[in-house]
Amino acid sequence: MIAPCSPSVADTHGTAVASIVAGNYPPAATYDFEDGHAPAASLINENLGLAAGCIPPDLYNSIYLPSWSLLAKIHANGFGTQKIGCSPTGPEPYCAGAEQTDRFVWDHKDFLITIGAGNEGAQEQLGNIRCQAQAKNLISVGASWNGMDANKMANYSSRGPACDGRLKPTLVAPGGGSNTVSPLCVARSSCTNPLLCPLGCDGDEYNRYVFWSGTSFAHPAVAGSAALVRQYFTEGWYPTGTKVAGNALSPSAALIKAVVINGAVEMTDASAYEECIPCQECPPPGCQPVRKYPNKVQGWGRVLLDNSLFFAGDSRKLTIFDESIGFGAAGEEKEYRIQVTDSALPLEATLVWSDYPGAVGASPSLVNNLNLVVRDPSCSVFNGNNFWEGQSITGGSSDTLNVEEAVWRTSPALGVWSVSIRAANIVNATQPFALAVTGGTGSVLANPPRVTAAGEHLTGLETIVSGSYLSTRVSDNVYEVLKEVDDGVSVLEHVWRFDNVPLGSCLTLNIEGHRPTNPENDNFKFSWSQTLNGPYTDIPNAVIDKNFEPVGGINYPFAWTGTSGTIYIKISDTQRNTGWSLDTVKIDRLEIR
């Protein structure tokens, strides 16, 4: 397929990219080290001219749409893009090329794009990812060295982050070059026209392989890997690990991206970290790396599909959810309950969504924000992208920048883990998403529905002033107003009953409402019990102590050890039997999840 202009001389850059994606060195029926990552995959060639001199300004219609129209699902962008630097004073360069790329993937959610992060890393400065490689919905790829040095970051590879702080590059793959490359291949790299050189690598006149390096040759390795992941699903290898035609499915670009990220491995050489501390015992450059991973140099790490694809006999399982409908409004949530049966294998959950494009120059560029929240069997909560020393830790805030979020634990506890996807903000609906989970896992358990109040119980102390909670189970600003009564002193108690609660589960109390200002600063806490008359156990941190009306409410996790399917939730004032004012609390929504 030819672009509007044609090259005047041969340009082998595109040939090299295509060979890395799908080369099939003879004999065609066997896999050899000379083969590409997806041998013999069908290719569509878009000829953009020498040094990509024919790149049109409209990538959507002139580059992506023709490929997609010819049924291409993986697109390896072999051309370079604008070199930028992130200015602290802005405007931040979420450029037109990034916006067009994100828009095309939003409109064609089965179309996965890869691109090189750029070759401006020699200065080892952060923030020099190229313009289009800063798009949210593609995979921007940095380069490692090759062979025995594949654990080292190539010094030419552009470093992240994106200018709005997002994690870039997305992934890393060998981009050519190492200390162990054959001298003949190195010498051949000086040939200005490889097609006319007298000898090929290793003295073989028929061997047209040459030594090149750059992120241009790292990203097609990831594109080829993505093609293998797509083949894995379209041929029906999931979920049994054997090829079953009846299990075939067509994966979204977000699912392929989630699977590839999920299996990536941390590069542990000092060159793969953002910063280091001086170290007299260390070899030049004399520093000890600060282990922050994932990070803005290697992203999510180097691609290793064997970590994420499950085949019969593997102990590490793969579980996926490709939610094509997704969320229509903020506050919606989907939960998956997964049984961990082997604590010796790491548990990794990776969430990816193809986001609506931001406006050109936007900072941040994220539009629809989803959150990954994982709870272990003891109800400890792990938020997506909150890492320390190579694994997720409790606490921390939710990620508000990236369209990729992950939680992983190196030695997960046995039992039922809850993996929740929550819609924190939906500007353009609907927002699909994909989730990939790997580890020593068993069955996916039935997802319990959200539990709503089946009835209310008055204890004789409270007065319902207006409204009815039973008719306001959504955020609609129609409050149930609870007011203290004068029982000699100001007192408030009120109890809701919830039925059909799953036994022995980690639960979450979701509250949406507020406490109007009162002169005594009286606050209101929540507790639970198996019986109406108690005893009641306080729910950690579940206190309405200020004015708030958050979209979607606030979640308070707690361990539920009940032996029946009924739970009672009580609200009570924290300064009982004191004061004189009759304070109120307004509840717009109360749910058990």
Side-chain angles (χ1 to χ4, degrees):
M1 192 164 57
I2 305 297
C5 66
S6 301
S8 57
V9 296
D11 182 2
T12 56
H13 183 278
T15 301
V17 170
S19 298
I20 294 169
V21 173
N24 194 16
Y25 192 79
T30 63
Y31 178 77
D32 307 292
F33 286 120
E34 295 87 355
D35 289 341
H37 286 252
S42 298
L43 291 176
I44 297 169
N45 177 41
E46 291 185 299
N47 194 333
L48 301 181
L50 183 65
C54 301
I55 299 176
D58 183 0
L59 300 178
Y60 189 110
N61 292 293
S62 298
I63 299 296
Y64 300 138
L65 187 59
S67 293
W68 185 85
S69 299
L70 291 173
L71 305 182
K73 302 299 182 184
I74 309 294
H75 186 97
N77 269 345
F79 56 83
T81 61
Q82 178 185 356
K83 302 174 184 178
I84 63 172
C86 298
S87 168
T89 59
E92 304 296 359
Y94 176 69
C95 65
E99 188 275 342
Q100 292 169 15
T101 298
D102 286 340
R103 184 174 298 277
F104 192 89
V105 178
W106 171 264
D107 292 341
H108 307 82
K109 293 185 174 64
D110 59 350
F111 193 74
L112 180 71
I113 302 170
T114 68
I115 192 171
N119 301 320
E120 286 70 55
Q123 303 88 355
E124 296 188 357
Q125 296 176 345
L126 296 179
N128 51 23
I129 300 289
R130 290 192 179 185
C131 163
Q132 188 182 327
Q134 297 203 25
K136 298 174 289 186
N137 297 337
L138 51 61
I139 298 178
S140 55
V141 184
S144 69
W145 291 125
N146 213 339
M148 298 297 292
D149 291 329
N151 200 42
K152 297 179 179 180
M153 199 72 187
N155 61 352
Y156 56 77
S157 184
S158 290
R159 269 69 170 163
C163 292
D164 61 357
R166 283 177 293 117
L167 186 68
K168 288 287 181 179
T170 315
L171 292 161
V172 170
S178 102
N179 296 332
T180 58
V181 172
S182 165
L184 285 175
C185 293
V186 174
R188 186 158 157 72
S189 67
S190 62
C191 179
T192 58
N193 188 343
L195 296 178
L196 302 179
C197 292
L199 293 176
C201 279
D202 303 318
D204 181 355
E205 63 180 311
Y206 299 105
N207 188 345
R208 299 297 187 184
Y209 288 88
V210 296
F211 170 77
W212 274 3
S213 61
T215 58
S216 286
F217 312 112
H219 85 84
V222 178
S225 297
L228 295 179
V229 173
R230 178 175 175 79
Q231 181 184 7
Y232 177 85
F233 290 116
T234 59
E235 290 186 348
W237 293 87
Y238 179 84
T240 65
T242 58
K243 186 176 179 180
V244 180
N247 290 336
L249 60 91
S250 181
S252 67
L255 176 59
I256 296 174
K257 187 177 178 184
V259 170
V260 177
I261 289 175
N262 186 280
V265 295
E266 179 182 4
M267 297 167 58
T268 56
D269 185 77
S271 60
Y273 294 98
E274 297 176 39
E275 54 189 86
C276 65
I277 56 176
C279 175
Q280 292 182 346
E281 298 82 11
C282 301
C287 70
Q288 179 67 34
V290 177
R291 190 185 178 192
K292 183 179 180 182
Y293 169 78
N295 62 47
K296 300 162 188 175
V297 177
Q298 60 176 293
W300 295 97
R302 193 180 70 249
V303 172
L304 183 59
L305 292 186
D306 191 46
N307 273 1
S308 50
L309 295 183
F310 167 72
F311 293 96
D314 289 350
S315 56
R316 182 168 174 160
K317 305 297 195 300
L318 169 66
T319 303
I320 63 158
F321 303 93
D322 202 4
E323 301 286 3
S324 59
I325 302 301
F327 299 118
E332 295 180 359
E333 179 179 1
K334 291 195 176 182
E335 179 188 8
Y336 311 94
R337 302 170 73 229
I338 297 175
Q339 182 83 34
V340 172
T341 58
D342 187 348
S343 61
L345 295 172
L347 179 69
E348 301 189 18
T350 305
L351 164 69
V352 171
W353 68 99
S354 296
D355 189 29
Y356 190 82
V360 174
S363 181
S365 61
L366 188 71
V367 176
N368 292 335
N369 183 26
L370 308 184
N371 288 327
L372 172 65
V373 181
V374 176
R375 289 179 291 181
D376 68 11
S378 64
C379 304
S380 297
V381 178
F382 302 91
N383 290 314
N385 293 359
N386 185 34
F387 301 107
W388 182 258
E389 292 294 327
Q391 68 173 335
S392 298
I393 58 173
T394 58
S397 57
S398 298
D399 188 305
T400 59
L401 290 175
N402 295 285
V403 298
E404 311 94 1
E405 294 192 16
V407 168
W408 63 70
R409 295 289 294 171
T410 56
S411 300
L414 299 178
V416 178
W417 288 65
S418 166
V419 181
S420 295
I421 314 300
R422 299 171 181 172
N425 189 37
I426 301 295
V427 178
N428 291 85
T430 60
Q431 179 59 66
F433 65 87
L435 176 68
V437 181
T438 58
T441 58
S443 58
V444 177
L445 305 180
N447 182 24
R450 291 183 181 180
V451 182
T452 52
E456 295 183 288
H457 296 266
L458 308 182
T459 64
L461 295 176
E462 73 293 298
T463 299
I464 299 179
V465 177
S466 65
S468 170
Y469 165 73
L470 296 180
S471 63
T472 59
R473 292 177 181 170
V474 295
S475 176
D476 58 7
N477 291 319
V478 179
Y479 299 102
E480 177 179 32
V481 182
L482 306 178
K483 186 176 182 180
E484 289 181 329
V485 297
D486 187 355
D487 191 33
V489 289
S490 300
V491 177
L492 182 145
E493 279 188 350
H494 186 71
V495 179
W496 292 269
R497 187 188 78 224
F498 294 84
D499 295 320
N500 302 315
V501 178
L503 302 182
S505 299
C506 297
L507 299 181
T508 297
L509 175 67
N510 179 267
I511 306 169
E512 184 169 319
H514 74 277
R515 181 213 72 184
T517 301
N518 63 69
E520 296 166 351
N521 293 318
D522 201 358
N523 302 321
F524 302 92
K525 67 179 180 179
F526 293 82
S527 54
W528 68 267
S529 175
Q530 294 186 75
T531 61
L532 174 61
N533 295 320
Y536 281 86
T537 301
D538 288 347
I539 296 173
N541 303 313
V543 176
I544 295 182
D545 59 357
K546 58 184 176 182
N547 291 328
F548 74 92
E549 176 58 22
V551 175
I554 294 180
N555 291 315
Y556 298 100
F558 65 99
W560 162 240
T561 57
T563 57
S564 71
T566 298
I567 185 173
Y568 294 88
I569 300 295
K570 181 171 72 173
I571 183 173
S572 55
D573 53 313
T574 59
Q575 297 185 36
R576 303 187 56 126
N577 302 321
T578 61
W580 52 268
S581 65
L582 300 181
D583 302 321
T584 61
V585 61
K586 299 181 179 181
I587 304 297
D588 191 10
R589 180 174 67 197
L590 193 74
E591 286 186 343
I592 294 291
R593 301 176 177 176

